Amino acid sequence: MKSPLSHSTLASCEQLRPEPRNVGAFACYVVLLAILFPGGLVAVDVSGAKLTVGRIAILILLIPALVRLTKADRHLIASDYLAAITGIWMIGAAAYVGGDGSLSSASAVCLEYVGGYFVARGLLFGAAVSTFIRVLKTFVIIVVFLALADSVTGRLVVHTTLAGIFQSAPLLQADFRADLLRTASTFDHPILFGTFCTLSGAMLMSYEQTFAKRTWWVGVCLLGCILSMSSAPLLSFIIAIVAFAYECLMKNYSSRWSVFWLAVAGGILAIFIIANHPIGWIITHLTLDPVSGYFRLMIWDLALLKIGQEPWTGFAFNPLNNEILDYTVDCVWLQLAIRFGIPMIVLVALTNIAAILPARRNASKVTNDPPHWGFTTALVLTMLTGLTVHYWHFLWIFWALCLGLRASLREASMTEYRMPADEPMPLMAADISLVHARR
């Protein structure tokens, strides 16, 4: 993790690759508009192919994004190749195991993740990174306000309203914990809403440069996370706040993150040494509802047995003949392995690691910036929260967007800063006021 205290890389990135702001803003609004529509709401059904608002947005933007990414002034990086291989494996494994019956579902999941990644890589670059953050703020306010409406009225406002409009059953039934409604806002489940608030909070707390603004956005996102009453997102949010505070306090020590991760590794190692069932200890002790924790522990045991039967290709989208696993698998890593085999876990993990790893830099290259830290933290939290959460629809897309944006920042940091002839000196970190004025 890098220092969240300088805007210099983002500014240099904007100078290095001047993206048309209207194109970037259009892409941001189109792809983030899916936040406002539950994924269960099918906008178009073409011969059995179900297109949600999120999938339609990616289809609209994917070809222009690929064209932009392949231009001479852009550079492919390792995560691009890994993302492409991930998509190929996803489709190939599903076709091999499930045939045509699984191909449609696998294509939809692939479109959301791999397509979302390349949309971010191609169109959300340079100035569009800060545009993405600004547009995200708007949608964060909307969904948290709708979550408050859920809490005040005691019902899922968006879901019940849509059910009334389309004369159908609600896309999501109300869920209560400690006699309090777990709000879902526009999402398909309270835990997905809570996770979205956590990831957004991590990005916004590093992006904002004043204490007042940072406190405001952290407060808004934390409120949404609390209203969802979900253990994993709330725990991840606390981790993000602690990590950010640690970075601010220890910024003058170059080995600060080595010490931090050694401490984390030591704590995890202690759990594995002391506890008879380490994963079970984590799940049952770090959840708001112990019953939910034990249910997830049972899912882990059942899923690992099932994965052991088909470790290479998984079961695609075929029934597993298990009343629990066919109903839910509350772990994105287990779900990926069940559907596409263990290699799928490896490919997804490697893609994220390749995007997160710091690039080699020298004096002629760009330095650190707040989005760099924010997107890195968001990806780490996504992978961590995924141990007890399965992502689908917009959260699956949102993971891909954050991954693509982080990869774009890595591309910028790997590229030589070529100073225009009419520019006497590069923009330095001290010129932050000029960056804000340009915005």
Side-chain angles (χ1 to χ4, degrees):
M1 292 185 181
K2 304 300 181 182
S3 173
L5 303 178
S6 167
H7 269 290
S8 57
T9 293
L10 184 58
S12 297
C13 185
E14 293 180 15
Q15 297 249 341
L16 179 62
R17 296 286 186 267
E19 295 289 317
R21 290 182 180 271
N22 56 340
V23 174
F26 174 77
C28 291
Y29 277 106
V30 169
V31 77
L32 290 178
L33 187 65
I35 295 176
L36 303 183
F37 299 90
L41 182 65
V42 177
V44 179
D45 191 336
V46 181
S47 301
K50 298 179 179 180
L51 297 179
T52 62
V53 174
R55 293 169 187 169
I56 292 173
I58 294 174
L59 285 173
I60 292 172
L61 299 172
L62 184 56
I63 292 179
L66 292 175
V67 171
R68 183 66 190 89
L69 184 60
T70 54
K71 286 190 175 183
D73 62 342
R74 296 296 302 275
H75 302 275
L76 296 179
I77 60 176
S79 60
D80 299 335
Y81 297 104
L82 287 168
I85 295 172
T86 300
I88 293 171
W89 183 271
M90 199 181 299
I91 298 296
Y96 176 77
V97 174
D100 294 339
S102 293
L103 199 56
S104 176
S105 296
S107 298
V109 174
C110 180
L111 174 67
E112 290 174 336
Y113 189 75
V114 180
Y117 170 85
F118 281 108
V119 164
R121 283 288 288 120
L123 298 178
L124 306 185
F125 186 82
V129 177
S130 56
T131 302
F132 178 87
I133 297 293
R134 290 197 297 270
V135 175
L136 178 64
K137 290 179 182 179
T138 301
F139 287 103
V140 166
I141 288 293
I142 293 173
V143 296
V144 172
F145 175 80
L146 291 173
L148 280 172
D150 288 350
S151 183
V152 170
T153 61
R155 63 189 184 94
L156 301 177
V157 174
V158 173
H159 291 270
T160 54
T161 300
L162 289 174
I165 293 174
F166 294 101
Q167 298 297 308
S168 63
L171 297 172
L172 178 66
Q173 297 295 329
D175 183 20
F176 293 85
R177 178 168 286 171
D179 296 327
L180 296 174
L181 176 69
R182 300 181 63 193
T183 64
S185 187
T186 61
F187 290 78
D188 299 285
H189 194 278
I191 202 167
L192 297 182
F193 170 57
T195 303
F196 170 77
C197 290
T198 295
L199 303 183
S200 299
M203 287 183 279
L204 294 177
M205 80 169 68
S206 66
Y207 182 79
E208 295 296 346
Q209 294 298 291
T210 66
F211 179 78
K213 289 183 178 180
R214 184 180 298 132
T215 302
W216 162 255
W217 286 110
V218 169
V220 170
C221 293
L222 184 58
L223 174 62
C225 192
I226 292 173
L227 289 174
S228 73
M229 300 189 70
S230 300
S231 308
L234 186 57
L235 176 62
S236 294
F237 208 132
I238 294 172
I239 292 174
I241 294 173
V242 171
F244 184 81
Y246 176 83
E247 167 68 5
C248 292
L249 292 173
M250 306 293 289
K251 62 181 181 295
N252 294 325
Y253 298 91
S254 58
S255 60
R256 60 192 179 280
W257 286 111
S258 298
V259 174
F260 179 86
W261 290 117
L262 281 174
V264 171
I268 294 175
L269 181 62
I271 293 174
F272 274 79
I273 292 175
I274 297 173
N276 293 326
H277 197 311
I279 298 296
W281 189 95
I282 294 172
I283 292 174
T284 54
H285 285 77
L286 299 179
T287 54
L288 295 176
D289 184 358
V291 174
S292 174
Y294 283 111
F295 182 71
R296 282 181 167 83
L297 180 58
M298 182 170 57
I299 289 175
W300 270 80
D301 292 336
L302 293 172
L304 290 175
L305 289 174
K306 207 68 178 178
I307 292 168
Q309 298 174 13
E310 292 290 346
W312 290 103
T313 59
F315 298 87
F317 291 84
N318 295 326
L320 300 175
N321 300 318
N322 183 288
E323 60 181 7
I324 293 178
L325 297 181
D326 284 329
Y327 171 70
T328 183
V329 179
D330 290 332
C331 172
V332 69
W333 303 107
L334 293 178
Q335 186 69 281
L336 290 174
I338 288 174
R339 288 178 175 174
F340 310 109
I342 294 176
M344 184 64 180
I345 295 179
V346 176
L347 287 169
V348 171
L350 286 178
T351 306
N352 281 263
I353 292 171
I356 288 173
L357 286 177
R360 294 179 180 178
R361 299 184 175 95
N362 56 40
S364 64
K365 295 184 179 181
V366 289
T367 53
N368 307 327
D369 67 296
H372 187 114
W373 189 95
F375 285 112
T376 298
T377 305
L379 290 180
V380 172
L381 294 180
T382 303
M383 292 187 284
L384 178 63
T385 309
L387 291 172
T388 58
V389 180
H390 168 50
Y391 305 129
W392 68 97
H393 292 318
F394 182 75
L395 245 296
W396 184 236
I397 296 173
F398 194 63
W399 184 359
L401 293 175
C402 293
L403 179 60
L405 280 157
R406 179 61 183 84
S408 290
L409 290 172
R410 188 170 196 272
E411 178 195 349
S413 68
M414 295 171 65
T415 307
E416 292 277 358
Y417 176 69
R418 303 189 185 278
M419 187 167 48
D422 58 349
E423 186 179 347
M425 60 182 299
L427 184 65
M428 304 301 292
D431 298 324
I432 292 176
S433 59
L434 296 179
V435 177
H436 287 294
R438 189 166 67 251
R439 291 176 182 165

